[in-house]
Amino acid sequence: MSYDVEKPDEQWRAELTPAEYQVLRQAGTEPAFRGEYTDTTTKGVYSCRACGAELFTSTEKFESHCGWPSFYDPKDSDAVELIEDRSHGMVRTEVRCARCGSHLGHVFEGEGYPTPTDQRYCINSISLRLTPES
Ligand SMILES: [Zn+2]
C-alpha cells in the first residue's frame, strides 16, 4: 500500500511531538479520558494531525463515554483506511488516515449505540486537529 503522503521515519519524528509520533506512527493509544477532544462538542472539522487530511466532523461525533473521541462515520468513506489488527490477542479493525497511513484508532461495530451506523470510530485526540467552524 502506498500513500499520497509518504515521508521517511526521521522526518515524521522531527515533525511530530514524541507523543504524537508514538500514536500516529507507532500505533500507540493515548490514555482514556485524557485526550483534548474527548468531550468536545465544538462544531467543526477534525483533520489528520500528521498530514492535514479532513477525516471526521462534529456532526458524526457522539457521546460514547468510552474515554476517546467517538464518531459514527468518517467525513468521507475514503478518508480512512480500515485494516485488520490482530495485535494484543484480539481481532480489531484499525483505522488509518488514507492519505498518509498514520494510525488514528480502531472502529467497533454492533455495540448498540443509538447512532445511524451502530459503529464507533474510537479515535485518539492526539491523531486529530479540530478546526472550529467559523
Ligand atoms: Zn494523514
Side-chain angles (χ1 to χ4, degrees):
M1 174 87 202
S2 71
Y3 297 101
D4 288 351
V5 174
E6 289 193 345
K7 297 178 186 181
D9 194 53
E10 314 82 76
Q11 198 180 338
W12 286 122
R13 245 182 227 278
E15 290 179 2
L16 301 170
T17 67
E20 289 167 355
Y21 178 84
Q22 209 257 325
V23 173
L24 285 158
R25 303 306 306 174
Q26 300 196 300
T29 300
E30 68 190 5
F33 300 103
R34 303 272 185 79
E36 63 180 297
Y37 299 134
T38 306
D39 298 316
T40 302
T41 55
T42 307
K43 283 194 164 60
V45 175
Y46 291 88
S47 302
C48 174
R49 200 176 286 199
C51 78
E54 295 190 350
L55 302 173
F56 296 96
T57 78
S58 54
T59 310
E60 289 84 28
K61 193 172 188 292
F62 70 100
E63 298 270 333
S64 67
H65 309 286
C66 73
W68 292 275
S70 299
F71 303 86
Y72 63 75
D73 219 13
K75 183 169 184 287
D76 299 299
S77 54
D78 59 1
V80 297
E81 178 188 20
L82 303 181
I83 293 173
E84 188 180 79
D85 173 10
R86 291 183 169 270
S87 64
H88 304 289
M90 295 176 269
V91 181
R92 295 180 295 171
T93 304
E94 181 188 358
V95 184
R96 290 188 191 172
C97 171
R99 192 189 194 185
C100 74
S102 290
H103 175 80
L104 305 171
H106 289 88
V107 60
F108 302 92
E109 222 169 1
E111 296 175 313
Y113 285 104
T115 62
T117 63
D118 202 9
Q119 288 185 321
R120 174 171 61 94
Y121 285 79
C122 180
I123 306 298
N124 293 285
S125 295
I126 205 167
S127 296
L128 301 173
R129 182 159 281 129
L130 172 62
T131 305
E133 217 169 71
S134 51

